[in-house]
Amino acid sequence: MKRILFVDDDPMVLEGLENMLRSERRRWRMVFAVGGTDALAAMEAEPFDIVVSDMRMPKMDGLALLRRTRERFPKTVRIILSGHTELEEMIKSVDIAHQFLSKPCGAAVLKEVLNRTCNLMDLLDEESLCRAIGQISALPTPPRMYERLIETLSAPACTLEDVLEILEQDVAMCAKVLQLVNSAFFGLERPVLGIREALQHLGVNLLKNIVLSVESMEELGGAARLPASAVEEFQTHALLTAHIAARIRPETMSRDEVFTAALLHDIGRLIIAQAFPREGTVASAALFAPDDDSRLHGATHAEIGAYLLGIWGLPHPIVEAVAHHHRPERVAHDGLDVIDVIYLANLLARQHLGLPEAEADFERGLAYLRQLGLEARLPEWRQAAQEAALQLKGVQA
Amino acid sequence: MICPFDASFRDEGALVIAMNAPMTKEELLDLLNSSPAVTYVLRSDSDFIHMSWISQNVQHVFGFEPEAALSPTWWLENVHPDDLLVLENQLRRESFHQGRRSVNEYRFRHADGHYVWIRDERNIFATEEGGFKKAVGTLIDITDQRQAATMLKRAEEQHAVSELKFRHILNQLPDYVYVLDNDGRFLLANAALCTAMQVTEEALLGVSAFDFFPSGSARMLKQDMLRIFETGELLQSEVVIPPQKDGPYPHGELRLLSTRFPYRGPDGQRLGLVVMASDVSETRRMEVELRHAQKLESVGRLASGVAHEINTPIQFVGDSAYFLESAFQDRQAVVRLYQELRDAVANGADPAPLVEAIRQAEEEVDADYLQAQIPKALARIQDGVGRVATIVRAMKEFAYPDRQEKNPADLNKALLSTITVARNELKHTATVQTDFGELPQVLCRVGDLNQVFLNLLVNAAHAIEDRLAAAPEGPEGLIAVRTRCEDGWVRVSIQDNGMGIPDEIRERIFEPFFTSKEVGRGTGQGLSIARSIVVDKHGGALDFETEPGAGTTFIISLPIEASGEAA
């Protein structure tokens, strides 16, 4: 049974929440704490899977509470439920909270968020894994990339295209932007699955604001655990996959969405390299290990990546695609799905870049293709891969 | 100085002067020799006119020995060359008849070389044929006079220039300037006034201002003039001239800042009244707008806080309603079973299985919980809706556009609604305590007063924030709002336990734009606007007591009977 802690300084809010979530009382153990101090005491008494907290509370505000939570109980997923409408408040929370909800938050939305998060937590068994991932507020971006972004954002005539061009190349920043824009704060009708669409919603100015004020993103530039060159190589693979996926996708699929999901597919590797440096091995080894089922603490890089994106509130289709990007057969679907596209693009990219075990993986891929009856399209797709690689050389110049 | 005396000759070689008392020759010569004027006699000898006698004082006045002066060329030699020609021409053209006087002014050389200006006045004696017989004349040193005349002329010129300058400035001034005499008649009116009133200055001179200005203004002017004459002091006040259809200001009212003081002459005597008036209509209009803008600014700042105050109750109202819906369904399910039971009993069927079913159902839906929670949820909804209504109402009262006139208002209520509106801004910093005494209705502009209350409350919260930032272990923030009615005055005090006001800035806190806060925390308008509203608009007082490190109390005193705007 999942355990969820709700924190607010107004007892009526808590009572209302308790009433509203009554139907879930058999699935979730729910505790309602008035104020930060009581909340921490509750967390000391028993571990919680999720904490949902108000932002502005006297004596200990929501952010302070969540910061302590991250320190003491990094595994607990941190969600803000705030009545404040200012953007600054939301930006402040980006470093600390996984997700941000606005009051008034309807029953349906809250239940969906909690359900989704609970399901995610089933994806990974291992405590240490969840703890490590729960602590991450941002992933490494090569300093060069970060600087380029700042430079571009600061230029007076900066357009969306200029920014997109850079953002599209960086896995970590893409993930962060998607986390932000999918925050219920923006009250968007549908979840945002593509980085271009995300930028359109945020706008250049807001992005600039965020990039400059979000601490974690600033730190990244210097996060020295991974050599920048390794991260850059990693990004190349991600980018190539994305470009190939964009090319081989069926017309009906949104380019933006396919591109974005493909870009993020291997984010788990980045997480592992960053958060779990194995002794005796170069941290970057994780970035290029074979695409097999090797597990770190019982989870593949796919699951790890999906977990992070999930607790960050990214939309389900992306999370799913990342989770199953090299076992597409696991997800029931008809015809060619985003997952398939990414799977194939990944294979082609790895093959092109000559990454470990690429050929073996490719053979397996072929078998899958035959199963789907799409073998005939392979040459066309190989061609697309070549073109994508060329295009990439141009982009990365 | 010339001694005008009649000279008549009785005797050649001597002069006898007709005076009241006869004189001896010696006495006469003494008189002539000691006079400031040099006297001389001219004679003609075969067409040659020469000086036959000259008084002794020629030595004293011109530095020459009398004998030297009698030399035929003496006069010619010592006349200034520039003046000589003119003189000679004139002299030659003179015709001679008896008693003819001739006067010249020219420069004559003193024995030591410098020239002096002299006035040469002659009385001429003619022959029967009209020829020159003799002449008696005087030479007087008029150097000083001439200098004085030159200086006077220069002074007059300068005065004219300065007068022109003064006029020019006066007439360029956009302000209206005029001077009245002690009876109120125009002595001076500058171009601005004349243009505005569509008259010329000449037309105004001597006209009574009380007849000229519209009756209302004229009356006030007369009153003020009498008052100023009595006190002898300057009076400055704002004068409102309502729009006059046919007057020079048909649109909108005119507001003038009028300065009047006694017009005094050189020895301090009162000659009349000087009036200077500046048009401050535009300034006043801008002030009103500025105040409104400041009010909107604070409303804006509060808006996000208010949004939070509304979002929170809406959250639990929604949650409670959601719960009530499912609770109702659950209860309905049980009720239906009870109904079946009722029917079963009525029909004599075995109730046992239904009873069991009911028990299970009740356990399933947690009937006890519903029993307890449903009323709570309903109450919560009422509470939440009430909270929202209060805030919205308070906002409405707060942001209501200013009405010009004053209305009776309950200040306790006004304070409560301001506190409500500001609650979000205040609640994280301090607890607000209220101690409201019985207050009569106060004639006031309650919208403006709400602004004052808000400014003071926000200042109090900021002061406490600052203190806690510097010393977090300190006592909790407390803002105490107290109202009392005392001797015809209503006193509202807002006390905080914040930073207090340091001595150095105590004098300055009411200055417009003065602020000790960093950027983003206020523009420094709060207290100056508060003062303007309380003191200028309501005839009240705004005081404060402070202790650095311990806190500050602001006290607003308002007269219950409005005294109107300060005169």
Tab-separated table of all heavy atoms in Angstrom, chain A residues 10 12-13 15-20 22 25-26 56-59 83-86 103-105 107 111, chain B residues 304 307-308 311-312 314-316 319 322-323 330 363-366 369-370 373 377 380 383 387 424 428:
chain	number	residue	atom	x	y	z
A	10	ASP	N	-3.679	25.090	6.372
A	10	ASP	CA	-5.098	25.314	6.582
A	10	ASP	C	-5.798	23.972	6.798
A	10	ASP	O	-5.900	23.169	5.867
A	10	ASP	CB	-5.679	26.025	5.362
A	10	ASP	CG	-7.092	26.529	5.582
A	10	ASP	OD1	-7.819	25.935	6.416
A	10	ASP	OD2	-7.465	27.507	4.933
A	12	MET	N	-8.756	23.130	6.969
A	12	MET	CA	-9.920	22.879	6.115
A	12	MET	C	-9.502	22.280	4.789
A	12	MET	O	-10.205	21.433	4.218
A	12	MET	CB	-10.671	24.185	5.864
A	12	MET	CG	-11.316	24.706	7.117
A	12	MET	SD	-13.020	25.075	6.804
A	12	MET	CE	-13.497	25.715	8.366
A	13	VAL	N	-8.358	22.736	4.279
A	13	VAL	CA	-7.869	22.172	3.020
A	13	VAL	C	-7.602	20.687	3.204
A	13	VAL	O	-7.977	19.850	2.367
A	13	VAL	CB	-6.589	22.890	2.552
A	13	VAL	CG1	-5.965	22.175	1.376
A	13	VAL	CG2	-6.887	24.335	2.197
A	15	GLU	N	-8.861	18.657	5.446
A	15	GLU	CA	-10.113	17.913	5.614
A	15	GLU	C	-10.791	17.694	4.272
A	15	GLU	O	-11.319	16.618	3.996
A	15	GLU	CB	-11.057	18.670	6.558
A	15	GLU	CG	-10.676	18.544	8.017
A	15	GLU	CD	-11.413	19.560	8.884
A	15	GLU	OE1	-12.539	19.962	8.496
A	15	GLU	OE2	-10.852	19.945	9.923
A	16	GLY	N	-10.764	18.759	3.459
A	16	GLY	CA	-11.365	18.628	2.140
A	16	GLY	C	-10.677	17.538	1.329
A	16	GLY	O	-11.324	16.696	0.693
A	17	LEU	N	-9.329	17.539	1.396
A	17	LEU	CA	-8.583	16.529	0.644
A	17	LEU	C	-8.910	15.123	1.146
A	17	LEU	O	-9.078	14.184	0.366
A	17	LEU	CB	-7.074	16.786	0.777
A	17	LEU	CG	-6.529	17.942	-0.049
A	17	LEU	CD1	-5.082	18.220	0.335
A	17	LEU	CD2	-6.630	17.650	-1.525
A	18	GLU	N	-8.979	15.019	2.458
A	18	GLU	CA	-9.262	13.706	3.016
A	18	GLU	C	-10.611	13.184	2.525
A	18	GLU	O	-10.757	12.041	2.102
A	18	GLU	CB	-9.245	13.766	4.544
A	18	GLU	CG	-9.340	12.393	5.145
A	18	GLU	CD	-9.462	12.417	6.657
A	18	GLU	OE1	-9.300	13.511	7.247
A	18	GLU	OE2	-9.726	11.346	7.213
A	19	ASN	N	-11.590	14.086	2.590
A	19	ASN	CA	-12.912	13.725	2.084
A	19	ASN	C	-12.832	13.294	0.628
A	19	ASN	O	-13.371	12.267	0.223
A	19	ASN	CB	-13.863	14.929	2.164
A	19	ASN	CG	-14.439	15.143	3.548
A	19	ASN	OD1	-15.166	16.088	3.773
A	19	ASN	ND2	-14.126	14.260	4.475
A	20	MET	N	-12.144	14.114	-0.131
A	20	MET	CA	-12.149	13.907	-1.563
A	20	MET	C	-11.459	12.598	-1.942
A	20	MET	O	-11.848	11.939	-2.911
A	20	MET	CB	-11.467	15.109	-2.228
A	20	MET	CG	-11.517	15.086	-3.715
A	20	MET	SD	-9.944	14.561	-4.382
A	20	MET	CE	-9.063	16.104	-4.342
A	22	ARG	N	-11.267	9.913	-0.195
A	22	ARG	CA	-11.781	8.812	0.608
A	22	ARG	C	-11.886	7.528	-0.177
A	22	ARG	O	-11.628	6.432	0.334
A	22	ARG	CB	-13.150	9.206	1.158
A	22	ARG	CG	-13.513	8.501	2.414
A	22	ARG	CD	-14.859	8.960	2.840
A	22	ARG	NE	-15.898	8.285	2.066
A	22	ARG	CZ	-16.342	7.070	2.375
A	22	ARG	NH1	-15.821	6.403	3.379
A	22	ARG	NH2	-17.297	6.525	1.656
A	25	ARG	N	-9.100	5.112	0.011
A	25	ARG	CA	-8.548	4.838	1.343
A	25	ARG	C	-8.056	3.421	1.511
A	25	ARG	O	-7.260	3.129	2.404
A	25	ARG	CB	-9.555	5.185	2.425
A	25	ARG	CG	-10.767	4.276	2.493
A	25	ARG	CD	-11.817	4.893	3.408
A	25	ARG	NE	-12.987	4.031	3.527
A	25	ARG	CZ	-13.915	3.878	2.597
A	25	ARG	NH1	-13.785	4.515	1.446
A	25	ARG	NH2	-14.950	3.077	2.786
A	26	ARG	N	-8.547	2.548	0.646
A	26	ARG	CA	-8.081	1.173	0.786
A	26	ARG	C	-6.810	0.927	-0.012
A	26	ARG	O	-6.123	-0.049	0.207
A	26	ARG	CB	-9.174	0.182	0.348
A	26	ARG	CG	-10.379	0.293	1.226
A	26	ARG	CD	-11.138	-1.010	1.329
A	26	ARG	NE	-12.225	-0.850	2.267
A	26	ARG	CZ	-13.436	-0.382	1.955
A	26	ARG	NH1	-13.700	-0.056	0.699
A	26	ARG	NH2	-14.359	-0.224	2.884
A	56	ARG	N	3.225	28.125	0.674
A	56	ARG	CA	3.457	29.136	1.688
A	56	ARG	C	2.788	28.752	2.994
A	56	ARG	O	1.572	28.728	3.104
A	56	ARG	CB	2.883	30.480	1.211
A	56	ARG	CG	3.723	31.040	0.099
A	56	ARG	CD	4.389	32.334	0.550
A	56	ARG	NE	3.939	33.455	-0.238
A	56	ARG	CZ	3.805	34.702	0.213
A	56	ARG	NH1	4.088	34.989	1.439
A	56	ARG	NH2	3.379	35.639	-0.576
A	57	MET	N	3.629	28.415	3.950
A	57	MET	CA	3.085	28.103	5.264
A	57	MET	C	3.917	28.857	6.292
A	57	MET	O	5.115	29.022	6.110
A	57	MET	CB	3.181	26.595	5.525
A	57	MET	CG	2.404	25.761	4.505
A	57	MET	SD	2.400	24.002	4.899
A	57	MET	CE	4.069	23.554	4.483
A	58	PRO	N	3.291	29.309	7.356
A	58	PRO	CA	4.078	30.011	8.373
A	58	PRO	C	5.060	29.062	9.046
A	58	PRO	O	4.870	27.864	9.022
A	58	PRO	CB	3.024	30.504	9.367
A	58	PRO	CG	1.819	29.698	9.102
A	58	PRO	CD	1.887	29.201	7.705
A	59	LYS	N	6.060	29.586	9.573
A	59	LYS	CA	7.117	28.869	10.287
A	59	LYS	C	8.010	28.032	9.382
A	59	LYS	O	9.202	28.133	9.411
A	59	LYS	CB	6.548	27.974	11.398
A	59	LYS	CG	5.833	28.735	12.486
A	59	LYS	CD	6.131	28.110	13.856
A	59	LYS	CE	5.283	28.750	14.940
A	59	LYS	NZ	3.857	28.374	14.865
A	83	GLY	N	-1.627	27.448	-3.835
A	83	GLY	CA	-2.658	28.409	-4.233
A	83	GLY	C	-2.075	29.643	-4.890
A	83	GLY	O	-2.787	30.527	-5.344
A	84	HIS	N	-0.758	29.698	-4.948
A	84	HIS	CA	-0.159	30.911	-5.492
A	84	HIS	C	-0.062	30.854	-6.986
A	84	HIS	O	0.228	29.818	-7.569
A	84	HIS	CB	1.235	31.131	-4.892
A	84	HIS	CG	1.149	31.765	-3.564
A	84	HIS	ND1	1.124	33.117	-3.395
A	84	HIS	CD2	1.028	31.220	-2.344
A	84	HIS	CE1	1.008	33.384	-2.119
A	84	HIS	NE2	0.950	32.250	-1.453
A	85	THR	N	-0.287	31.999	-7.571
A	85	THR	CA	-0.345	32.030	-9.022
A	85	THR	C	0.896	32.622	-9.652
A	85	THR	O	0.993	32.693	-10.848
A	85	THR	CB	-1.541	32.882	-9.466
A	85	THR	OG1	-1.470	34.124	-8.733
A	85	THR	CG2	-2.837	32.205	-9.131
A	86	GLU	N	1.829	33.115	-8.835
A	86	GLU	CA	2.960	33.768	-9.489
A	86	GLU	C	3.932	32.757	-10.046
A	86	GLU	O	4.257	31.768	-9.420
A	86	GLU	CB	3.762	34.658	-8.536
A	86	GLU	CG	2.957	35.669	-7.773
A	86	GLU	CD	2.649	35.122	-6.411
A	86	GLU	OE1	3.574	35.006	-5.605
A	86	GLU	OE2	1.492	34.773	-6.189
A	103	LYS	N	-3.667	25.161	-6.910
A	103	LYS	CA	-5.011	25.149	-6.355
A	103	LYS	C	-5.853	26.128	-7.139
A	103	LYS	O	-5.350	27.178	-7.527
A	103	LYS	CB	-4.961	25.659	-4.902
A	103	LYS	CG	-4.551	24.669	-3.875
A	103	LYS	CD	-4.597	25.360	-2.497
A	103	LYS	CE	-3.842	24.533	-1.482
A	103	LYS	NZ	-3.329	25.343	-0.382
A	104	PRO	N	-7.132	25.896	-7.331
A	104	PRO	CA	-7.817	24.689	-6.910
A	104	PRO	C	-7.532	23.528	-7.858
A	104	PRO	O	-7.611	23.681	-9.073
A	104	PRO	CB	-9.284	25.091	-6.971
A	104	PRO	CG	-9.354	26.219	-7.930
A	104	PRO	CD	-8.024	26.874	-7.931
A	105	CYS	N	-7.210	22.386	-7.277
A	105	CYS	CA	-6.891	21.225	-8.092
A	105	CYS	C	-8.042	20.243	-7.988
A	105	CYS	O	-8.381	19.788	-6.890
A	105	CYS	CB	-5.592	20.593	-7.585
A	105	CYS	SG	-5.060	19.207	-8.568
A	107	ALA	N	-10.473	16.905	-8.268
A	107	ALA	CA	-10.273	15.529	-7.811
A	107	ALA	C	-9.645	14.676	-8.893
A	107	ALA	O	-8.708	13.907	-8.645
A	107	ALA	CB	-11.614	14.933	-7.389
A	111	LYS	N	-6.064	12.808	-8.448
A	111	LYS	CA	-6.050	11.344	-8.402
A	111	LYS	C	-5.179	10.776	-9.511
A	111	LYS	O	-4.428	9.825	-9.297
A	111	LYS	CB	-7.472	10.799	-8.530
A	111	LYS	CG	-8.281	10.945	-7.270
A	111	LYS	CD	-9.585	10.166	-7.377
A	111	LYS	CE	-10.485	10.470	-6.203
A	111	LYS	NZ	-11.751	9.763	-6.266
B	304	SER	N	-2.202	38.981	-6.204
B	304	SER	CA	-1.776	37.588	-6.187
B	304	SER	C	-2.017	36.988	-4.811
B	304	SER	O	-2.379	35.818	-4.683
B	304	SER	CB	-0.309	37.466	-6.568
B	304	SER	OG	0.477	38.109	-5.609
B	307	ALA	N	-5.590	36.216	-4.756
B	307	ALA	CA	-5.868	35.012	-5.556
B	307	ALA	C	-5.619	33.768	-4.715
B	307	ALA	O	-6.410	32.837	-4.713
B	307	ALA	CB	-4.986	34.990	-6.794
B	308	HIS	N	-4.539	33.798	-3.976
B	308	HIS	CA	-4.255	32.662	-3.111
B	308	HIS	C	-5.346	32.498	-2.077
B	308	HIS	O	-5.792	31.370	-1.790
B	308	HIS	CB	-2.905	32.866	-2.428
B	308	HIS	CG	-2.548	31.768	-1.483
B	308	HIS	ND1	-2.877	31.805	-0.144
B	308	HIS	CD2	-1.934	30.589	-1.682
B	308	HIS	CE1	-2.446	30.704	0.438
B	308	HIS	NE2	-1.865	29.939	-0.475
B	311	ASN	N	-8.128	30.891	-3.904
B	311	ASN	CA	-7.865	29.528	-4.360
B	311	ASN	C	-7.965	28.499	-3.252
B	311	ASN	O	-8.429	27.369	-3.463
B	311	ASN	CB	-6.449	29.441	-4.961
B	311	ASN	CG	-6.401	30.068	-6.334
B	311	ASN	OD1	-7.430	30.207	-6.978
B	311	ASN	ND2	-5.220	30.449	-6.766
B	312	THR	N	-7.511	28.881	-2.099
B	312	THR	CA	-7.509	27.918	-0.997
B	312	THR	C	-8.920	27.485	-0.605
B	312	THR	O	-9.191	26.276	-0.573
B	312	THR	CB	-6.733	28.497	0.196
B	312	THR	OG1	-5.412	28.814	-0.217
B	312	THR	CG2	-6.692	27.523	1.345
B	314	ILE	N	-11.544	27.630	-2.383
B	314	ILE	CA	-12.141	26.944	-3.534
B	314	ILE	C	-11.669	25.492	-3.574
B	314	ILE	O	-12.431	24.591	-3.933
B	314	ILE	CB	-11.793	27.667	-4.853
B	314	ILE	CG1	-12.420	29.057	-4.896
B	314	ILE	CG2	-12.255	26.856	-6.045
B	314	ILE	CD1	-13.923	29.031	-4.982
B	315	GLN	N	-10.413	25.273	-3.205
B	315	GLN	CA	-9.897	23.899	-3.174
B	315	GLN	C	-10.744	23.032	-2.255
B	315	GLN	O	-11.246	21.966	-2.654
B	315	GLN	CB	-8.436	23.906	-2.697
B	315	GLN	CG	-7.824	22.532	-2.457
B	315	GLN	CD	-7.485	21.811	-3.740
B	315	GLN	OE1	-6.942	22.395	-4.665
B	315	GLN	NE2	-7.800	20.525	-3.793
B	316	PHE	N	-10.934	23.502	-1.032
B	316	PHE	CA	-11.641	22.583	-0.135
B	316	PHE	C	-13.147	22.603	-0.329
B	316	PHE	O	-13.831	21.650	0.016
B	316	PHE	CB	-11.228	22.752	1.331
B	316	PHE	CG	-11.524	24.078	1.981
B	316	PHE	CD1	-12.827	24.432	2.317
B	316	PHE	CD2	-10.492	24.928	2.324
B	316	PHE	CE1	-13.083	25.625	2.968
B	316	PHE	CE2	-10.743	26.116	2.969
B	316	PHE	CZ	-12.038	26.473	3.286
B	319	ASP	N	-13.355	20.000	-3.075
B	319	ASP	CA	-13.124	18.672	-2.523
B	319	ASP	C	-14.313	18.203	-1.698
B	319	ASP	O	-14.724	17.029	-1.776
B	319	ASP	CB	-11.875	18.672	-1.629
B	319	ASP	CG	-10.605	18.867	-2.437
B	319	ASP	OD1	-10.656	18.677	-3.665
B	319	ASP	OD2	-9.574	19.203	-1.829
B	322	TYR	N	-17.223	17.274	-3.938
B	322	TYR	CA	-16.907	16.000	-4.600
B	322	TYR	C	-17.205	14.846	-3.641
B	322	TYR	O	-17.835	13.853	-4.002
B	322	TYR	CB	-15.437	16.021	-4.998
B	322	TYR	CG	-14.950	14.785	-5.696
B	322	TYR	CD1	-15.061	14.662	-7.080
B	322	TYR	CD2	-14.352	13.737	-4.990
B	322	TYR	CE1	-14.593	13.531	-7.733
B	322	TYR	CE2	-13.895	12.606	-5.638
B	322	TYR	CZ	-14.003	12.504	-7.008
B	322	TYR	OH	-13.541	11.389	-7.653
B	323	PHE	N	-16.734	15.048	-2.433
B	323	PHE	CA	-16.956	14.024	-1.414
B	323	PHE	C	-18.444	13.823	-1.169
B	323	PHE	O	-18.937	12.683	-1.088
B	323	PHE	CB	-16.254	14.428	-0.119
B	323	PHE	CG	-16.760	13.722	1.091
B	323	PHE	CD1	-16.496	12.367	1.297
B	323	PHE	CD2	-17.552	14.382	2.036
B	323	PHE	CE1	-16.967	11.708	2.421
B	323	PHE	CE2	-18.025	13.711	3.155
B	323	PHE	CZ	-17.740	12.375	3.350
B	330	ASP	N	-23.162	6.638	-1.794
B	330	ASP	CA	-22.937	5.542	-0.859
B	330	ASP	C	-24.119	5.384	0.081
B	330	ASP	O	-24.612	4.275	0.331
B	330	ASP	CB	-21.658	5.781	-0.037
B	330	ASP	CG	-20.408	5.631	-0.880
B	330	ASP	OD1	-20.511	5.112	-2.006
B	330	ASP	OD2	-19.316	6.023	-0.401
B	363	GLU	N	-20.619	-1.220	6.481
B	363	GLU	CA	-19.186	-1.360	6.720
B	363	GLU	C	-18.416	-0.995	5.464
B	363	GLU	O	-17.389	-0.315	5.512
B	363	GLU	CB	-18.894	-2.814	7.089
B	363	GLU	CG	-17.607	-2.951	7.886
B	363	GLU	CD	-17.321	-4.418	8.134
B	363	GLU	OE1	-18.082	-5.034	8.894
B	363	GLU	OE2	-16.342	-4.907	7.533
B	364	GLU	N	-18.950	-1.428	4.353
B	364	GLU	CA	-18.331	-1.153	3.062
B	364	GLU	C	-18.143	0.350	2.843
B	364	GLU	O	-17.084	0.793	2.434
B	364	GLU	CB	-19.228	-1.749	1.965
B	364	GLU	CG	-18.754	-1.522	0.551
B	364	GLU	CD	-17.531	-2.350	0.219
B	364	GLU	OE1	-17.377	-3.446	0.783
B	364	GLU	OE2	-16.712	-1.864	-0.584
B	365	VAL	N	-19.207	1.080	3.080
B	365	VAL	CA	-19.117	2.525	2.817
B	365	VAL	C	-18.600	3.301	4.029
B	365	VAL	O	-18.426	4.505	3.956
B	365	VAL	CB	-20.475	3.131	2.378
B	365	VAL	CG1	-21.029	2.399	1.183
B	365	VAL	CG2	-21.452	3.153	3.517
B	366	ASP	N	-18.342	2.585	5.108
B	366	ASP	CA	-17.869	3.262	6.327
B	366	ASP	C	-18.892	4.301	6.769
B	366	ASP	O	-18.632	5.509	6.789
B	366	ASP	CB	-16.510	3.906	6.072
B	366	ASP	CG	-15.801	4.237	7.391
B	366	ASP	OD1	-16.463	4.194	8.457
B	366	ASP	OD2	-14.601	4.554	7.357
B	369	TYR	N	-18.167	6.991	9.299
B	369	TYR	CA	-17.372	8.092	8.734
B	369	TYR	C	-18.267	9.085	8.025
B	369	TYR	O	-18.166	10.294	8.229
B	369	TYR	CB	-16.332	7.506	7.775
B	369	TYR	CG	-15.440	8.536	7.131
B	369	TYR	CD1	-14.282	8.988	7.776
B	369	TYR	CD2	-15.739	9.059	5.876
B	369	TYR	CE1	-13.452	9.931	7.190
B	369	TYR	CE2	-14.915	10.003	5.295
B	369	TYR	CZ	-13.778	10.439	5.938
B	369	TYR	OH	-12.971	11.375	5.361
B	370	LEU	N	-19.167	8.544	7.201
B	370	LEU	CA	-20.055	9.434	6.457
B	370	LEU	C	-20.910	10.251	7.412
B	370	LEU	O	-21.079	11.459	7.246
B	370	LEU	CB	-20.958	8.620	5.523
B	370	LEU	CG	-20.239	7.905	4.373
B	370	LEU	CD1	-21.243	7.147	3.515
B	370	LEU	CD2	-19.461	8.876	3.526
B	373	GLN	N	-18.723	12.933	8.783
B	373	GLN	CA	-18.093	13.854	7.841
B	373	GLN	C	-19.044	14.683	6.997
B	373	GLN	O	-18.708	15.791	6.590
B	373	GLN	CB	-17.149	13.084	6.902
B	373	GLN	CG	-15.893	12.589	7.589
B	373	GLN	CD	-15.001	13.742	8.012
B	373	GLN	OE1	-14.892	14.728	7.287
B	373	GLN	NE2	-14.387	13.623	9.172
B	377	ALA	N	-18.489	18.447	6.048
B	377	ALA	CA	-18.232	18.877	4.683
B	377	ALA	C	-19.175	19.999	4.285
B	377	ALA	O	-18.761	20.984	3.650
B	377	ALA	CB	-18.362	17.695	3.724
B	380	ARG	N	-18.048	23.062	5.928
B	380	ARG	CA	-16.826	23.543	5.286
B	380	ARG	C	-17.155	24.314	4.020
B	380	ARG	O	-16.545	25.331	3.700
B	380	ARG	CB	-15.942	22.350	4.932
B	380	ARG	CG	-14.453	22.646	5.031
B	380	ARG	CD	-13.631	21.418	4.771
B	380	ARG	NE	-13.882	20.385	5.764
B	380	ARG	CZ	-14.193	19.130	5.474
B	380	ARG	NH1	-14.295	18.737	4.224
B	380	ARG	NH2	-14.404	18.262	6.446
B	383	ASP	N	-18.370	27.659	4.917
B	383	ASP	CA	-17.243	28.470	5.357
B	383	ASP	C	-16.425	28.969	4.170
B	383	ASP	O	-16.092	30.150	4.071
B	383	ASP	CB	-16.361	27.621	6.280
B	383	ASP	CG	-15.195	28.412	6.823
B	383	ASP	OD1	-14.230	28.643	6.062
B	383	ASP	OD2	-15.253	28.808	7.988
B	387	ARG	N	-15.754	32.707	2.970
B	387	ARG	CA	-14.410	33.310	2.872
B	387	ARG	C	-14.236	34.022	1.550
B	387	ARG	O	-13.721	35.138	1.479
B	387	ARG	CB	-13.335	32.239	2.960
B	387	ARG	CG	-12.988	31.827	4.351
B	387	ARG	CD	-11.601	31.247	4.359
B	387	ARG	NE	-11.479	30.063	5.182
B	387	ARG	CZ	-10.377	29.333	5.254
B	387	ARG	NH1	-9.333	29.630	4.539
B	387	ARG	NH2	-10.341	28.280	6.040
B	424	ASN	N	-3.172	38.009	3.129
B	424	ASN	CA	-2.137	37.142	2.606
B	424	ASN	C	-0.750	37.750	2.740
B	424	ASN	O	0.234	37.055	2.978
B	424	ASN	CB	-2.418	36.814	1.138
B	424	ASN	CG	-1.638	35.605	0.685
B	424	ASN	OD1	-0.623	35.713	0.044
B	424	ASN	ND2	-2.107	34.453	1.090
B	428	HIS	N	1.915	35.716	6.934
B	428	HIS	CA	3.149	34.964	7.101
B	428	HIS	C	4.147	35.677	7.987
B	428	HIS	O	5.133	35.094	8.416
B	428	HIS	CB	3.783	34.697	5.730
B	428	HIS	CG	2.898	33.886	4.858
B	428	HIS	ND1	2.596	32.569	5.122
B	428	HIS	CD2	2.193	34.207	3.761
B	428	HIS	CE1	1.758	32.122	4.209
B	428	HIS	NE2	1.498	33.091	3.375
